Amino acid sequence: MSAPHLRDRYLQDSINTASPARLLIMLYDRLILDLMHGEEALRNDDRVLAYEKITHAQEIVLELRVTLDVEAWDGAPGLANLYGFVLTELIGANIKRDADRVASCRSLLEPLRDAWRDAASAST
């Protein structure tokens, strides 16, 4: 078995066995990574890479929004609105090739990722 195949299998096994809280954190981690890479690619005028990373980030935000149960807690509708705002900003950033808009989205999402991580570690 090749090293890339083993890595892919490890990642898939990690996803398949992760708790819902861990999956959420994994999504946020990947989202932040995509935003960092997308922003950097825009600043380096690498349009193809920027498009790929920002589009993937949009897909993650959309997944977070679609799977959010807005009836689960009082803050959920606000979080849904934030996801909608971020999605709109990322689409605009991708169209206008605006690295600052990507950075702004990342600055909104990083504290959320950290809060989810803190909540998950407190519950274990």
Side-chain angles (χ1 to χ4, degrees):
M1 209 176 276
S2 68
H5 181 68
L6 287 171
R7 182 184 60 83
D8 289 345
R9 182 161 179 202
Y10 172 78
L11 289 174
Q12 190 60 48
D13 288 347
S14 296
I15 292 167
N16 291 339
T17 59
S19 68
R22 182 69 189 127
L23 284 173
L24 180 63
I25 294 164
M26 291 167 78
L27 277 173
Y28 267 97
D29 284 343
R30 180 56 194 260
L31 173 57
I32 300 301
L33 185 65
D34 283 342
L35 293 175
M36 288 171 48
H37 289 162
E39 177 188 349
E40 182 180 336
L42 284 173
R43 294 194 193 286
N44 293 326
D45 203 31
D46 186 342
R47 295 177 181 180
V48 173
L49 182 61
Y51 174 82
E52 289 173 5
K53 295 301 179 179
I54 296 169
T55 301
H56 191 252
Q58 291 170 21
E59 292 170 2
I60 293 172
V61 172
L62 188 57
E63 182 68 21
L64 290 168
R65 173 58 188 97
V66 169
T67 58
L68 178 63
D69 180 359
V70 293
E71 304 296 323
W73 55 288
D74 292 343
L79 184 56
N81 288 336
L82 178 65
Y83 288 152
F85 172 78
V86 167
L87 187 59
T88 301
E89 284 297 293
L90 290 176
I91 291 168
N94 220 354
I95 292 169
K96 302 278 187 182
R97 297 182 184 106
D98 188 342
D100 291 336
R101 282 173 88 172
V102 176
S104 293
C105 290
R106 186 168 49 86
S107 70
L108 287 172
L109 295 168
E110 284 176 330
L112 282 173
R113 186 234 3 231
D114 297 342
W116 286 118
R117 183 178 288 140
D118 291 347
S121 65
S123 68
T124 56

